[in-house]
Structure formats: C-alpha cells, structure tokens
Amino acid sequence: MPKNSKVTQREHSNEHVTESVADLLALEEPVDYKSSALNVGGVPPPPRKNKGVEEPQDPGEERPAWNSKLQYILAQVGFSVGLGNVWRFPYLCQKNGGGAYLIPYFILLIIIGIPLFFLELAVGQRIRRGSIGVWNYVCPRLGGIGFSSCMVCFFVGLYYNVIIGWSIFYFFKSFQYPLPWSECPLVQNGSLSIVEPECDKSSATTYFWYREALDISNSISESGGLNWRMTLCLLAAWLIVGMAMIKGIQSSGKVMYFSSLFPYVVLLCFLVRGLLLRGAVDGIAHMFTPRLEKMLEPQVWREAATQVFFALGLGFGGVIAFSSYNKQDNNCHFDAALVSIINFVTSVLATLVVFAVLGFKANLMNEKCVVDNAEKIMGYLNSKVLSHDLIPPHVNFSHLTAQDYTEMYGVIRTVREGSFSELGLEPCQLEDELNKAVQGTGLAFIAFTEAMTHFPGSPFWSVMFFLMLINLGLGSMIGTMEGIITPIVDTFKVRKEIFTVCCCTLAFLIGLLFVQRSGNYFVTMFDDYSATLPLTIVVILENISVAWFYGTEKFMQDLTEMLGFRPSCFYFYMWKYVSPLCLVVLMFTSIIQMGLSPPGYSAWNEETASERFQSYPPWALGMCFTLITLAMLPVPVVFIARQFHLLSDGSNTLSVSYKKGRMMMKDMSNLEDNDETRFILSKVPSEAPSPMPNHRSYLGPEGPSSLETTNTSPNGRYGTGYLMPTTPESQL
C-alpha cells in the first residue's frame, strides 16, 4: 500500500479517515498479467518501461483549460457585456429617474447580481462540468435545470444572431458617402421626381430601417417571403459564430481578445467625440439629473432587478461553462466581483455615450422644430391671422433662438387661448426631445444612426459603431453557444466539432423564420417570451438547489477548500434567504406584468409610416405559450423520472471508511434522498469530478475560517467519501 494512502495514514493518526473504493483502487499497483506467473496463454510480455518516465495521458481524458487568466476574464466580460448594455440600460436610466435609477440598480447588483454570479462561477469551477452535469451532481432531482438552460440558450441564440446579421448589413452599407440613410430617396411620378411618400411621412433613417433593411410586412400574419439580403447576413453571422466555436475555448478564447476589447475602444472614441458635439452636455445633464420620487415606484425596482439579472448572463449556462475550464484553486470570488463591476462601469460608460449623442440629436431636432414653427408664425403674420403686436420687439426671425421662440410661443398661447390649438404650433422644448425614450433596435438602427449622419466623417463613425455591435453580439453569442455545447458534450460525449457544426446549421435553418419580411415581429416575440420568465425560474431553482438541497453550510465549506479562505458570511445569508426571496418576488411581478400587458407587438404601417400596436393572433399566442412551456418542461420531466426511479441519478452505492485500524463499509443506496452526502467515484478527475470537499467540520457562517482537514491521497479531491459526525459506525 502506498505511503500516502488513507489506509496507511490511519496507522499514524487519531483522525477519522473516510475513503471511497475509487481511492483504494487508484492507489493499488497495477497487475500486469502478461508478465506474471499466471500468464499461461503464451502471450509475450511487453517490454519493461523505465519507472522514471511518465506515460502521456490520453488527451480525451484531459479537460481543456484557458491559456491565461486574462483570456478567461475577457470571455466572461464578453459574455456578460452585450447589446443590452448599449441599448437597454440607457433607456431604463432615462425612463426611471435618470441618475436616481443607478441607486436601485447598484443595490440589487450587490444583493442579487454578485452573489448569484459568484454561485454560478463556483459550482462550475468546483464540479468542472457544464450546466447539465453541475445540477445533476448538486441535486439530481432538479437535474432538469441544466436542460432548461440549454433550451433557453438555443431560443435566445436563434434571434440574437439575427441582430448580428442586421449589424453586418449596416456595417457593409456604411462604406459609402453620403450614408444611404442620410436622405430620403426620390421616386419618379411621371416626369416629376418626388420624395418617397413613406419616407416623407417618417424620416430617412426610419424609412431605411423598415423598408430598405427589413422590407417589413404590415403584420405578423403576412409572411412576405424571405428577405434574401438578410438571409445572407444571417448566414454570415452563423459562419462567424461557428468558426469561433469550432475548437471550443481554444478558438473562442482567441476571438475574445478582439471581440471583448474592441467595443471599449469604440465607446471611448465615441465618448470623446460626443463630448465635443454641441448639446452633448445637455444630454448628459439630463441623464444624471435625479428624479428621486421615481425610487418609490415598484416598477423601477422590478426593471432594475431584471436588468441586473440579464446583464450578468445568469441562468444561461455560459457562466458555468466558462468557469468549468478553470483550475479548482482559481479565485472565482475575485472574478465575480471584477466582472460584475466591469459590467456596471460599461453600462454607465455606454449611457454617457448614448446621452451625449442623443443630446446632440435633441438640439438638432429642437432647432429644426423652431425653424419650422417660426415659418408658420410668419405665415400667420402675413395673412393677418396673428397681429404683429404679439411678437416681442427684440425677436429677430432671421436669427431666432430657442429662447426667443419659447417666449413668443408663450405670448401667442396666452392671447389666443381659445383658438390656439387651431394654429398647430409646437412648444419646441429641448426637454421634450430628451424625454423621448428609445430602446433596442430603435436606438441602434434609427436614433443613433440618424445622429451619426450629422457627424463629420460620418461613414467612419458608422463603420466603427456597427463593428462594435457585431463584436458585442459575438461575445454574447459565444457564451450562449457554450451554454449549449459544453453541457451536451460533457453529458453525451459527442464530438465537439461535429456537434458545433450541426448546432449552427440547425439554428440557421430555424432562424430563417426571422429573416422573412415579418421576421422582426418574431424577434420581438422570442425576446419577450422565450427567456424572461423561464430564466427567472431557472435561477430560482439554481439558488434553492445549492442553498437548501445541497446545503449552504456545505457549499461554504467547499468554497473554503477551493479558494483557501472562507468567503464572507454575507454570501451565506444572501444565498440562503435574501436572493431567493428577491427572485421569487421578481418572478411573481413578472407574471403579473405579463398578465396585465396585453400580448402584442408594434407593427409598421406602410400607409401611415408609423407604428401601431397589434394583438397576437391565436396561433401566435399558442407559439408564445409553447416557448415558455418548452423552456421549462425538462425540470418537471427529470424530477418525475428520478422521483419514480425511471432515470438514474448516477450516485454510487459503496463507501469505505477507516478509523483507528477498524474498517467499515456502508451501503450508500439506503441513504435518504435529502442526505447532503454525495459519492462520486472515479479514477480520472476529468471524467467525473466530485462537488464534495475533503473531510471537514464546518460550524456555519460564523465558524472559524481555519478548518481542520484530514490528510488525503492525491486522488482524494475527486474520490473522497465522507463519514459525517452523526453517522454510526459498524465494527468489522
């Protein structure tokens, strides 16, 4: 018996030693039957090898690892920092109280975001498996959590890559001057050239988005056939994702150096350029002006919690997949805090850029409003509808300022109070322009795009902006696809390259749904129904699995062994009480909000050149319900299958323990289902790593940080059995 085995250690120690069968077998000297005396078959013995030379390990048994800590951090940042940081966070900030919104957001980031992000990093790093394997080990009956994560990742990946396709289309259209969306096109009406009526009723950028890019239909029921240009862009997007993912983290990790860092270069360039624009200060001041009364509205806290939830990519499985390629002694506590803070700072930086540019655009729109309405007033003056006495003497129509117009508007409104509405004059307030909330595609492809047409060298800025969107989307797509590929490859042992190609091909074929003329309406449907509620439920179950089924005390013990120090008791109480409560409240408020809001979408009307709300037809409502059901179906299916023993949970049945020369064997099949002890018996750590720490005693969140541990064999980290203090011994 080797000197470092637990059987040898028991002869020299009073400590209680528990050892699994895998530990014993792993430390036995292998018997070469060919060279032994029992070799009677005439098989010649193989040549002897030098004991000092190690045989190379089978590459299939080695789990891939990150080339560097920087590559790993960039991968997590690239996954968590996505398009939502650029076009969702600024909108929420504008809508929910400006600078005051940052207060509830930061509070919820501390009590929900960082603890749950830390939890996902820790379980992935400890168990070294994708989401399916992780939750099968932590709580086999809730093993369906991992499959639900994969389903949600697949649904999100389907439409998220369509947005990358849109960005690719705009990127290539940006290589011309003037930009194609800077002016309305002309159409021939007999011998006359007139402005396209649909464009004239809206704006050049709006027309280009809905008609030139999407060629959108009037409703979700009108398919209109495939948009061939967007089909090619979607194909290009999936080719990029497939090439980035084909070799796993060996290929995607290298892509992250560019896709994660380039957006920050662009954001900083836009910030400097934006601050030099006229009116940028107005936009930033509007953003940071706090409306503290908004903090008392529950809706603000609900939307802040939802944004924290999705900004960090919780529940998708990408965080777990990335962390599973780390060494077990990696400081994931530091990683969780670092990535969360980078994500928050990025959101604030993007908001500064967006409001600086929107402030510039608001000033342009306000000046245009003043000029248009001043012309109306001059017409009324010339036609004697208005008296010249109503115009203040210092007002000069050739150099009319916004302040002069506001004063003139107030006088006319006061004098002509009864018939003022007939004049059709607008107030032209800068505040009104800044309060026009724009989010999502409306911000990226309409508002921001329109502002860039007024930049000097607008094609350069347009190329940079859409290249940034492509890289932001690519980083998130890589994490989303890892949330699918890593768990499936780990669980079913399929070849990663083949599965990646098949997955991308299938996703492209299904994604043709989104490049029809009605495709934008399906993107809205999937965005509203395929992820929000299912992911909230997934993360609730993740939190409960670790905190209540596996045990918060035991999880803290695992972290102490893995990190080398005991995490703050703050996490203990967050995981066990605060975070689950907040998530349950968020789930119910989301369900209530979904019930109160009529299911529908904003449809583009070609005749009026405007959006109008339309309710989903019955078949589309069924599709919405199906998305939610399919995403959550694996959880009850796996639970029922394991509850009635229709599906094995992979647990082991035998453990061997030693104490002061006495050996005992325990049948683990008789353990209660809620017993927190798990036995993962394996010789190769990379094939079946154990979530269990080495034998320790833990005193709760306030216990001492220095814990006594038994001396373990080299294989003990992955094959350690446990003898709990309350477990009775059997004398043999």
Side-chain angles (χ1 to χ4, degrees), residues 7 10-11 14 16-17 656-665 723 729-732:
V7 179
R10 66 182 172 83
E11 302 292 342
N14 291 327
H16 183 91
V17 180
V656 184
S657 296
Y658 300 96
K659 184 177 182 182
K660 294 185 179 180
R662 299 171 301 184
M663 180 177 73
M664 82 170 182
M665 302 183 68
L723 182 66
E729 288 186 358
S730 300
Q731 303 285 346
L732 295 180

Side-chain angles (χ1 to χ4, degrees), residues 458-685:
S458 55
F460 168 77
W461 294 105
S462 183
V463 167
M464 294 285 284
F465 177 71
F466 289 109
L467 187 58
M468 177 190 73
L469 292 187
I470 292 170
N471 280 277
L472 284 173
L474 180 60
S476 297
M477 272 301 299
I478 289 175
T480 302
M481 294 302 293
E482 279 290 352
I484 303 171
I485 294 172
T486 298
I488 298 297
V489 170
D490 287 345
T491 304
F492 300 104
K493 307 301 180 185
V494 296
R495 186 173 176 182
K496 177 170 287 188
E497 293 84 354
I498 296 176
F499 181 72
T500 301
V501 172
C502 293
C503 190
C504 291
T505 303
L506 177 64
F508 168 72
L509 294 176
I510 299 176
L512 294 177
L513 174 71
F514 304 103
V515 290
Q516 305 175 95
R517 291 183 59 197
S518 59
N520 187 47
Y521 306 136
F522 287 99
V523 170
T524 302
M525 175 195 291
F526 272 65
D527 190 39
D528 290 341
Y529 292 96
S530 69
T532 305
L533 184 59
L535 273 185
T536 306
I537 297 174
V538 163
V539 177
I540 290 174
L541 294 177
E542 288 182 0
N543 196 169
I544 293 175
S545 299
V546 172
W548 291 93
F549 290 98
Y550 182 76
T552 313
E553 294 87 353
K554 185 170 295 180
F555 188 56
M556 293 287 284
Q557 179 180 341
D558 291 354
L559 291 174
T560 304
E561 176 195 344
M562 188 167 66
L563 301 176
F565 63 90
R566 184 173 63 88
S568 168
C569 61
F570 165 81
Y571 292 105
F572 180 93
Y573 295 110
M574 290 299 107
W575 287 328
K576 192 152 190 174
Y577 305 111
V578 180
S579 294
L581 178 62
C582 292
L583 288 172
V584 169
V585 171
L586 175 61
M587 180 187 68
F588 281 111
T589 54
S590 298
I591 294 173
I592 293 171
Q593 179 68 20
M594 192 177 295
L596 295 177
S597 302
Y601 61 101
S602 294
W604 178 256
N605 186 284
E606 185 175 357
E607 295 181 0
T608 61
S610 61
E611 290 184 335
R612 64 180 181 184
F613 181 83
Q614 287 192 8
S615 298
Y616 284 121
W619 63 267
L621 285 175
M623 194 172 177
C624 296
F625 178 76
T626 302
L627 288 174
I628 298 175
T629 304
L630 286 178
M632 294 312 306
L633 190 61
V635 174
V637 167
V638 172
F639 180 85
I640 293 172
R642 285 183 172 152
Q643 176 70 23
F644 294 99
H645 308 291
L646 303 176
L647 183 67
S648 171
D649 63 0
S651 61
N652 299 279
T653 59
L654 191 63
S655 175
V656 184
S657 296
Y658 300 96
K659 184 177 182 182
K660 294 185 179 180
R662 299 171 301 184
M663 180 177 73
M664 82 170 182
M665 302 183 68
K666 300 183 296 183
D667 183 6
M668 301 306 299
S669 62
N670 294 327
L671 285 177
E672 293 294 329
D673 292 333
N674 60 353
D675 192 331
E676 293 178 336
T677 306
R678 300 268 185 256
F679 293 83
I680 311 299
L681 305 179
S682 172
K683 182 176 179 180
V684 181

